[in-house]
Amino acid sequence: GQSLEQPSEVTAVEGAIVQINCTYQTSGFYGLSWYQQHDGGAPTFLSYNGLDGLEETGRFSSFLSRSDSYGYLLLQELQMKDSASYFCAVREGGFQKLVFGTGTRLLVSP
Amino acid sequence: DAMVIQNPRYQVTQFGKPVTLSCSQTLNHNVMYWYQQKSSQAPKLLFHYYDKDFNNEADTPDNFQSRRPNTSFCFLDIRSPGLGDAAMYLCATSRDSNRVGTHPSTNEKLFFGSGTQLSVL
């Protein structure tokens, strides 16, 4: 089995930087993914870390430390449209299935 | 253009009345997934197909069944819906995560449909 823990909610203002953490316990690890989901919408893929370190995609970056079983999503220059839920996810070792974390609701205010 | 299509967007059924949700994909992906998501919760995996190989999660109720007649289509059957089955049902696809020759993030990425919101009266 596995578990992925995230803070339930984070608030920030436009233009700020916010970090969303994810700690995980898995029986086999094949990388950490991040998804964004707006209310009423479907999750959309943001990033993937298979190895330790930082991956950058525009305003979003994601970090992984396998030795610490920890990762984070960093959102810079926050915009109102970034208000959404963010999920980390891991693929159970050797299998195709993807399991999601508890989710973090980000609220961006003016 | 939508690549994973779920129909209908909203489905209302009666308690105990069988219902089928459908999903189709134009991506030719090997893997198809069904997730259940309740309000303010994470998507919960019900089952997935790797080609025709069906993989059921241990805690998925027997009330939930699935069919994948071909690569493009996958169906979720709820044999006797209860009030607790009201949720958003999300279909997703991905490539074979073990596929070689492509960037890992390409294989790891799930493509989701817009979901079917199921109400049970």
Side-chain angles (χ1 to χ4, degrees):
Chain A
Q2 54 200 350
S3 67
L4 299 93
E5 296 294 327
Q6 302 177 233
S8 59
E9 188 172 290
V10 173
T11 59
V13 298
E14 272 188 304
I17 299 172
V18 73
Q19 179 174 310
I20 300 174
N21 299 320
C22 174
T23 57
Y24 59 86
Q25 290 184 318
T26 64
S27 56
F29 182 74
Y30 283 74
L32 188 71
S33 300
W34 288 92
Y35 285 78
Q36 179 192 60
Q37 186 179 29
H38 287 99
D39 286 347
T44 56
F45 175 84
L46 290 176
S47 68
Y48 170 77
N49 293 73
L51 301 173
D52 289 354
L54 194 68
E55 292 280 343
E56 297 181 76
T57 309
R59 294 188 297 115
F60 295 179
S61 303
S62 56
F63 172 82
L64 175 66
S65 170
R66 288 176 294 171
S67 60
D68 296 322
S69 297
Y70 165 75
Y72 66 73
L73 179 69
L74 191 72
L75 298 87
Q76 302 183 72
E77 300 172 20
L78 280 174
Q79 302 174 10
M80 296 291 289
K81 68 178 182 179
D82 298 328
S83 292
S85 293
Y86 293 83
F87 296 93
C88 58
V90 296
R91 182 165 63 85
E92 192 169 271
F95 298 98
Q96 301 290 337
K97 67 181 189 181
L98 197 70
V99 178
F100 285 82
T102 51
T104 299
R105 187 169 181 84
L106 172 64
L107 301 173
V108 181
S109 57
Chain B
D1 291 335
M3 296 175 286
V4 182
I5 302 165
Q6 290 188 244
N7 284 304
R9 182 71 176 89
Y10 299 94
Q11 175 74 56
V12 181
T13 190
Q14 292 179 337
F15 182 93
K17 185 175 181 180
V19 66
T20 294
L21 310 182
S22 71
C23 177
S24 63
Q25 57 138 335
T26 60
L27 297 164
N28 204 34
H29 281 169
N30 300 93
V31 194
M32 294 188 78
Y33 309 79
W34 281 105
Y35 285 88
Q36 179 195 62
Q37 187 176 28
K38 297 187 177 181
S39 182
S40 300
Q41 296 184 18
K44 178 181 179 299
L45 184 64
L46 296 174
F47 23 62
H48 74 280
Y49 279 92
Y50 178 68
D51 291 330
K52 287 189 176 293
D53 184 21
F54 176 71
N55 299 273
N56 196 34
E57 291 301 297
D59 58 354
T60 298
D62 293 340
N63 196 27
F64 291 84
Q65 304 286 322
S66 185
R67 297 169 282 137
R68 189 180 185 185
N70 54 53
T71 300
S72 301
F73 286 87
C74 196
F75 300 96
L76 171 62
D77 301 307
I78 309 177
R79 293 192 295 185
S80 181
L83 298 179
D85 297 327
M88 173 74 84
Y89 290 88
L90 295 162
C91 173
T93 73
S94 71
R95 293 186 177 196
D96 180 350
S97 59
N98 297 315
R99 179 172 171 156
V100 297
T102 55
H103 193 278
S105 65
T106 302
N107 296 343
E108 293 292 333
K109 180 178 179 179
L110 263 63
F111 293 79
F112 281 86
S114 55
T116 294
Q117 182 68 50
L118 178 69
S119 299
V120 181
L121 304 180

